Amino acid sequence: MKKLVFTFTLLTSMVMFSCEKKINTATIDAATSGKTIQNPEETTAKGTIQVALLLDTSNSMDGLIEQAKSRLWNIVNTLTTLKFEGKTPDIEIALYEYGNSGLSIESNYIRQVIPLSTDLDLISEKLFALRTNGGSEYCGAVIQDAAQKLTWKDGLENMKLIYIAGNEAFTQGSINYKESISDALKKGIYINTIHCGGYEEGIRGLWKDGADVGQGKYFNIDSNAKVRYIVTPYDDQISQCNVRLNTTYIGYGSQGVEKKRAQEVQDANAQSISKANYAERAVSKSKAVYKNESWDLVDKAKNDSKALENLKAEELPAELKNKSKEEIKTIVAQKTKERETIQKEMDELSKKRQAYIDEESKKTKSQDDLGNAITTSIHSFAKAKGYVVVN
């Protein structure tokens, strides 16, 4: 049976430990018992959360890819609850595929689909475009490729995690997984493994050993299980807010029209999974991590006080072509205020939505899917490294 390896890499700060000190599983487990600190003062971004998703796109892993699509925005929203010293970290996500016979054997059937990026819509687009095909899957090789070729940030205020998921022996390929993991640890990258199958089977296949060597956590899941959602009374209201939110984006430059259309396509992709998943994406779009200054004038002006002054005529969207500088400033200011109002409304709704989900979750056993494995361990590592969770 083919396997999907889903490597989820994440960079936050390690302020509780010295540079030389390594985090072990016992430390992480102990950190989860501490109290969550509520409502730290929000300031500017501090630190970076870097996430790399490495997916084995071999034949039998369609179910796990579907789980990845279904849980992407839930994972993003989990990351947005983290604060470091009262400040919001940046989030970057990368995507790999491997184990696909359509890829080059010379590259160990590995392809970097997208490097580390803050463009969440592009990540969603590439994820939904993945297709499975038979091939050979090498855990050691893909860990090595991600650790060496992605641009990891240095500094104690940052953290890196790898999540690798699959169902065959962890030892396949000519590159030794222990050597790859050892090299990753030298860069502060911690390895978590997710075996798609039985717990004991994963131990025999050395998936647990990979997590132990990588000072991470070992999970096992049913990759063919359909993700269960809790529908809330707030989903429709959040979705309606999202429609209004989209009208506040003003595309500019060579990418403006294309990226605005892509935003709508990814809305549709999320909605194709479920109504609840669409609401999850909408919540992500209301957060500071969803930023599009490369094509949206509102985000651009927010981060660059002279952006509108320096804007070239050919970069203007059709609706602003015959407007004066002052008129453009007024329009952007109006859209900025409108967006902030909608985002505030969505934030209040999302808190009610999450409280409802938390209450309903107590009534049923938590599902052992890819998203839950990742989100629970995100909080474990984050707390151990000095982050706090703000719901």
Side-chain angles (χ1 to χ4, degrees):
M1 185 165 65
K2 303 297 180 184
K3 64 178 182 215
L4 170 73
V5 173
F6 187 99
T7 303
F8 188 87
T9 316
L10 174 70
L11 180 62
T12 44
S13 66
M14 195 190 297
V15 296
M16 295 175 65
F17 303 91
S18 65
C19 293
E20 295 82 11
K21 190 169 184 179
K22 296 180 179 179
I23 295 178
N24 57 38
T25 305
T27 302
I28 293 165
D29 287 338
T32 61
S33 64
K35 276 192 173 182
T36 296
I37 299 174
Q38 298 294 326
N39 300 322
E41 183 181 355
E42 180 81 10
T43 54
T44 57
K46 175 69 172 181
T48 303
I49 300 174
Q50 292 181 302
V51 180
L53 307 165
L54 281 68
L55 298 165
D56 177 351
T57 52
S58 59
N59 275 333
S60 63
M61 289 292 102
D62 295 87
L64 191 49
I65 292 176
E66 287 304 308
Q67 285 191 13
K69 295 175 184 177
S70 301
R71 288 300 193 188
L72 173 63
W73 301 110
N74 178 262
I75 292 168
V76 169
N77 289 336
T78 298
L79 296 174
T80 65
T81 66
L82 302 180
K83 297 287 185 287
F84 179 70
E85 295 183 351
K87 301 174 184 179
T88 303
D90 287 327
I91 294 175
E92 297 177 355
I93 300 178
L95 180 63
Y96 271 75
E97 70 164 325
Y98 80 101
N100 191 312
S101 60
L103 303 176
S104 168
I105 189 173
E106 288 78 14
S107 67
N108 287 312
Y109 303 108
I110 293 168
R111 180 172 74 97
Q112 184 186 105
V113 180
I114 177 175
L116 287 161
S117 172
T118 59
D119 191 338
L120 298 179
D121 285 347
L122 182 60
I123 294 155
S124 176
E125 174 188 326
K126 297 299 184 181
L127 180 59
F128 272 82
L130 291 178
R131 298 293 181 268
T132 59
N133 197 3
S136 299
E137 314 85 34
Y138 307 134
C139 294
V142 73
I143 291 171
Q144 181 186 81
D145 205 88
Q148 291 183 354
K149 296 184 179 179
L150 292 175
T151 304
W152 302 105
K153 292 189 176 182
D154 296 325
L156 295 178
E157 72 277 14
N158 303 312
M159 178 182 77
K160 307 161 251 207
L161 299 173
I162 287 179
Y163 290 81
I164 181 168
N167 60 1
E168 293 187 0
F170 206 71
T171 55
Q172 290 187 28
S174 60
I175 298 176
N176 188 296
Y177 74 87
K178 291 187 178 182
E179 294 179 4
S180 296
I181 293 173
S182 177
D183 290 340
L185 282 172
K186 291 175 184 177
K187 295 184 176 182
I189 305 169
Y190 296 87
I191 313 300
N192 304 272
T193 64
I194 303 173
H195 178 250
C196 303
Y199 185 86
E200 294 298 330
E201 180 187 0
I203 292 177
R204 292 191 296 271
L206 297 181
W207 284 85
K208 186 177 185 301
D209 188 61
D212 291 342
V213 173
Q215 299 181 19
K217 284 180 171 287
Y218 164 65
F219 300 90
N220 76 292
I221 65 171
D222 179 1
S223 59
N224 292 318
K226 187 175 178 61
V227 170
R228 299 195 304 266
Y229 289 100
I230 296 176
V231 178
T232 82
Y234 309 102
D235 293 348
D236 287 340
Q237 291 172 271
I238 291 172
S239 298
Q240 290 164 10
C241 285
N242 183 63
V243 174
R244 291 161 48 208
L245 185 68
N246 283 352
T247 66
T248 69
Y249 286 86
I250 306 174
Y252 76 93
S254 60
Q255 292 185 306
V257 174
E258 178 185 347
K259 296 296 286 185
K260 199 168 189 305
R261 185 181 298 117
Q263 182 185 62
E264 296 171 355
V265 170
Q266 296 322 306
D267 279 354
N269 275 338
Q271 195 167 28
S272 72
I273 300 294
S274 72
K275 180 191 295 187
N277 188 57
Y278 179 57
E280 287 277 7
R281 169 171 161 81
V283 169
S284 296
K285 289 169 65 179
S286 72
K287 305 292 187 180
V289 297
Y290 186 76
K291 49 188 178 182
N292 300 284
E293 59 268 20
S294 65
W295 65 269
D296 169 51
L297 271 183
V298 174
D299 278 348
K300 178 71 172 175
K302 186 184 300 183
N303 294 299
D304 181 359
S305 60
K306 295 186 177 180
L308 301 181
E309 291 290 342
N310 298 330
L311 200 64
K312 298 177 182 178
E314 58 268 26
E315 293 181 301
L316 289 170
E319 64 269 26
L320 299 182
K321 284 291 185 184
N322 298 315
K323 304 291 185 183
S324 68
K325 290 285 187 181
E326 290 305 314
E327 287 175 319
I328 293 173
K329 286 181 181 180
T330 299
I331 292 171
V332 171
Q334 289 172 342
K335 290 296 183 182
T336 300
K337 184 176 180 180
E338 184 180 346
R339 184 180 301 179
E340 289 172 350
T341 299
I342 297 170
Q343 287 175 327
K344 182 178 179 181
E345 182 179 348
M346 293 175 77
D347 182 59
E348 293 172 354
L349 288 169
S350 69
K351 288 177 180 177
K352 294 177 181 178
R353 178 179 185 269
Q354 191 58 52
Y356 184 94
I357 290 173
D358 291 343
E359 190 62 32
E360 289 297 309
S361 296
K362 296 176 184 177
K363 302 176 184 178
T364 58
K365 182 181 177 181
S366 176
Q367 183 179 15
D368 294 327
D369 64 36
L370 180 69
N372 282 334
I374 291 173
T375 55
T376 55
S377 55
I378 284 172
H379 281 169
S380 297
F381 277 97
K383 289 181 180 180
K385 295 178 182 182
Y387 276 69
V388 295
V389 179
V390 182
N391 294 316

